[in-house]
Amino acid sequence: MHLIRSTLQLLERGLLRLRFSGMTQITFKAAGIMTLLTTLASATVVVLPYGVASASSPSVWTIQDTLLLSGGGPLNSLFGVSCVSSTSCQAVGSYNTSGGLLVGIALSFNGTNWSRETLPSGSGGLNGVSCVSSTSCQAVGAGEGGAVALSFNGTNWSRETLPSGSGQLYGVSCVSSMSCQAVGAKPTGYNSTSAVALSFNGTNWSQDTIPSGSGVLVGVSCVSSTSCQAVGYNYSDSVGIAFSFNGTNWSQDTIPSGIDQLYGVSCVLSTSCQAVGGNANGYGTALTFNGINWSKETLPSGVGPLAGVSCVLSTSCQAVAGAALSFNGTNWAQDTIPSGIDQLYGVSCVSSTSCEAVGYNSNGTIILTTTATTITSITPDSSSLAGGGTATIIGSNFVSGASSVNFGSVAASNVKVVSPTEITATIPAATTPGLVDVTVTASGKTSVGSGFMYVTSGIPYTPVTPYRIADTRCSAGSQPSFCSSENLPSANQALRFLSAGGSITVQVTGTGSGSNSVPSSAQSVVVTVTAIAGTTAKNGYLTVYPAGTNPPTASSLNYAPGMAIPNLVTATLGSGGAIDILSSSANVNIVVDVEGYYEPSTSSTSNKFTPLPLPIRVLDTRCEGVLAGSSYCIGLTLPSANQLKAPGAGSYIKVEVAGLGNIPLSATAVSLVVTAAGPSSGGYLTVFPAGSSTTPPETSNVNFHKGIASADSVTVAVGTGGYIYIYNSANTATNVIVDVNGYFSSSGDVLTPSSPVRICDTRSLSPDDVAGGVSGQCNNSGTPLGTSSGPITVQVTGIAGITSTAKVVVANITVVNTTGSGYLTAWAAGATKPTTSNINWGKGQVMPNMVISALSSSGQMEVYTSSPANVIIDVVGWYSQPTSV
């Protein structure tokens, strides 16, 4: 293939002649390389219509530039391109002068324009280029004197000295400025060639020893100085060949039969490569390498031979020739390219959505670029079936005149392109709950879809006896002793601790046993999620969101190195009844315990939520011990059944919750804030329904550390006689505080779940923030709350799809930038501040908690902190009066 690239001007009457100075003239039969050129230029291609979905999310290509250089004509072409970023590329090729002289071409790209560079005289035709930075590139090719190699320092190209007998060079790959490999071929007789491989050490090129035999190596890709792959074909019998390099020796690989030519290869790991080429029938071929074996892949029907390939991940590759293809790690799919493209030879990608491809058409050399629109976030990314809210879509390459935004197959209305990175649209109604793709089509370019959840508005709650569904500590290697008794669902047994920016998918529906399980019809789940950060982890956060959707700009809990931090999370279930959990830092284990779920129901006895006018304190064991005279105990009247001492080491206490205050005995579950106060050793609290067994389940609700007050929200079924149990795992007695903010019964409000959406952030915006708050909410001034500032009033309804009918909000509230110990309290705006707390923290801690708060008639809540702290509020759902029963 690259032989053609360097000698296009020599095509005449069905024969292709290559002339090497001082060497025997070689004549290649038209049935060989000439036939290849014909098939590359005329092969039938199948182009998918715009908007046709495929597993590999095809890209859209547009013409970036067409260059008619001096000498002009259809044989001008660019053969190789290498990009180190979207604003730094080099492309090389050749053209023939009116006198028949082959002249090299080199172009630089700065992100906006391509400009021609000056090459040393006698450079001849250039076939391949490889850059490791904007100031370090190598280009190879062939001239009248044989092989050519050039170096680029960011300003000038200079000619290098090559070993004699290097033949012609067609491909080059560099892993550093001091480590490159180049491949090609040299004549060995009439109508025969032998493969060539050269190594570069930053100063000199030296010839490698390569297994004997007739062949041409066309493409090469290295991932290190000791790991390269080269591909080509054996000229004598038109059979594809592949070689591996270990830093010292080249060895020939075995490839599947039926591969006649290989022209391009790209590796992202020594165990992950893609090679492309063609066969004698005029169709394209593609191979995958796993570090040991090459295996054949299936291409879309009708695709002709492929000339170049570039991969940025094992799940993201682009291949080009007369067509362009995308690879997602499993399937190849046809891309859309402009009409009139005769041939593409080289491609280079710096990301899955940023590639450059080069070749030629009837106007001369041509350069294409991917302009696929992308979606990075949708706010909100869930809605009731009624739709109607405004979705803000953030991404790239949006253009004015967007033709449509689709939620599944339904078009949105009121589409407005705010900027190239933002579109707003009215969410259409849906008929059934579940996950759909959102796609943006702008000027004929369709985005890769992003998941959006439709949920049933108004869902009653079903509590369960807590059980564990995920524990990444129990997936590999030496496992803790407790793993043997956890009985994790098989779907979650292989989940491992997260890397920075990594995520896991946790199966929720279908877990549990008998009636104590989550059914497939559940739409939302209440789970306690615990982050167990290793000592090498950094301060970070977890985000819990529906499986199959993009991570929202919100956090579910924050953690610190060497600490176990839990939080109650109400999460909308996504694809397959699962949730995704993302970690911002590495070396973090995750534990997930199910507390209950929300499922659509028309039963009048289904559990609905009733918030208390103000939260009430039903237990404070500090007031039955040596701290009984403390100020917080004065005036506190606890139920007689709850005038209890702190639970001792490995023991439990029985706490009355139903039948107190406004909580009826008929309550089936209660919403609590449980606090471990001033513990003298580390441990955890487990809250579970009172019954015949006092053995706690293999779950935890509040994890605490010595000397630090820790609080967590708990939703727990009410047990026998209206009681619950609280178990203390610590090796010393631990004081416990319990505040009730509402209960579930046959009457009350029902939930509309939502993917996390941020409505308040008092921090000043910075790149280190998890996300900026909603404009106008909490001012984003950076000024922390505190006793001097008093409480802030936060508007909840009317933002990000939260309806005006909402009476209670479910939100994850996080305090950051704490300068001393303190607590946070949230309540309905306009009401008297309660004497309870939602979050407790120590100096310097970042502390989250799920808060269920009543709202005022105008949809507002108030938030107070007892000491300076910044506050972040992420809404995950709200309760409102059911429209029908």
Side-chain angles (χ1 to χ4, degrees), residues 378 380-385 407 427 430 432-438 450-456 522-524 545-549 572-578 753-755:
I378 303 174
D381 62 2
S382 64
S383 167
S384 67
L385 297 179
F407 287 69
I427 302 168
T432 57
L435 186 70
V436 299
D437 275 346
V438 174
S450 176
F452 184 91
M453 283 298 302
Y454 279 102
V455 296
T456 302
Q523 290 191 20
S524 191
Y545 54 102
T549 65
T572 303
L573 296 175
S575 179
S754 166
S755 293

Side-chain angles (χ1 to χ4, degrees), residues 355-633:
C355 302
E356 300 286 326
V358 298
Y360 76 93
N361 67 6
S362 58
N363 293 321
T365 60
I366 193 160
I367 301 169
L368 302 187
T369 185
T370 50
T371 56
T373 56
T374 61
I375 296 175
T376 55
S377 68
I378 303 174
T379 304
D381 62 2
S382 64
S383 167
S384 67
L385 297 179
T390 298
T392 299
I393 303 170
I394 303 299
S396 62
N397 296 320
F398 300 148
V399 297
S400 297
S403 57
S404 67
V405 173
N406 273 32
F407 287 69
S409 60
V410 182
S413 59
N414 302 318
V415 176
K416 180 182 179 182
V417 180
V418 179
S419 73
T421 61
E422 181 179 345
I423 288 178
T424 60
T426 299
I427 302 168
T431 56
T432 57
L435 186 70
V436 299
D437 275 346
V438 174
T439 55
V440 176
T441 302
S443 296
K445 297 180 271 293
T446 300
S447 70
V448 175
S450 176
F452 184 91
M453 283 298 302
Y454 279 102
V455 296
T456 302
S457 179
I459 314 176
Y461 180 68
T462 300
V464 300
T465 300
Y467 65 91
R468 183 153 293 176
I469 61 170
D471 189 338
T472 61
R473 297 171 297 180
C474 301
S475 61
S478 179
Q479 298 183 1
S481 58
F482 54 75
C483 292
S484 61
S485 62
E486 287 193 332
N487 297 317
L488 300 176
S490 58
N492 299 331
Q493 288 177 4
L495 299 177
R496 303 191 66 181
F497 70 82
L498 295 177
S499 58
S503 64
I504 58 173
T505 297
V506 179
Q507 183 63 39
V508 178
T509 60
T511 63
S513 176
S515 60
N516 203 65
S517 60
V518 181
S520 60
S521 54
Q523 290 191 20
S524 191
V525 66
V526 178
V527 288
T528 296
V529 178
T530 304
I532 305 171
T535 55
T536 59
K538 298 178 180 179
N539 289 330
Y541 60 89
L542 299 182
T543 297
V544 183
Y545 54 102
T549 65
N550 287 336
T553 51
S555 62
S556 301
L557 67 86
N558 292 66
Y559 52 76
M563 298 188 73
I565 304 293
N567 197 19
L568 190 68
V569 176
T570 297
T572 303
L573 296 175
S575 179
I579 55 176
D580 283 347
I581 303 177
L582 177 146
S583 175
S584 69
S585 177
N587 195 19
V588 177
N589 278 299
I590 294 175
V591 177
V592 182
D593 300 327
V594 174
E595 311 289 336
Y597 60 89
Y598 291 88
E599 177 189 24
S601 175
T602 57
S603 171
S604 60
T605 59
S606 297
N607 292 315
K608 303 176 181 69
F609 183 71
T610 300
L612 296 182
L614 287 175
I616 61 172
R617 181 153 293 179
V618 299
L619 174 71
D620 191 337
T621 62
R622 297 174 301 177
C623 300
E624 296 300 321
V626 296
L627 301 175
S630 300
S631 59
Y632 43 75
C633 295

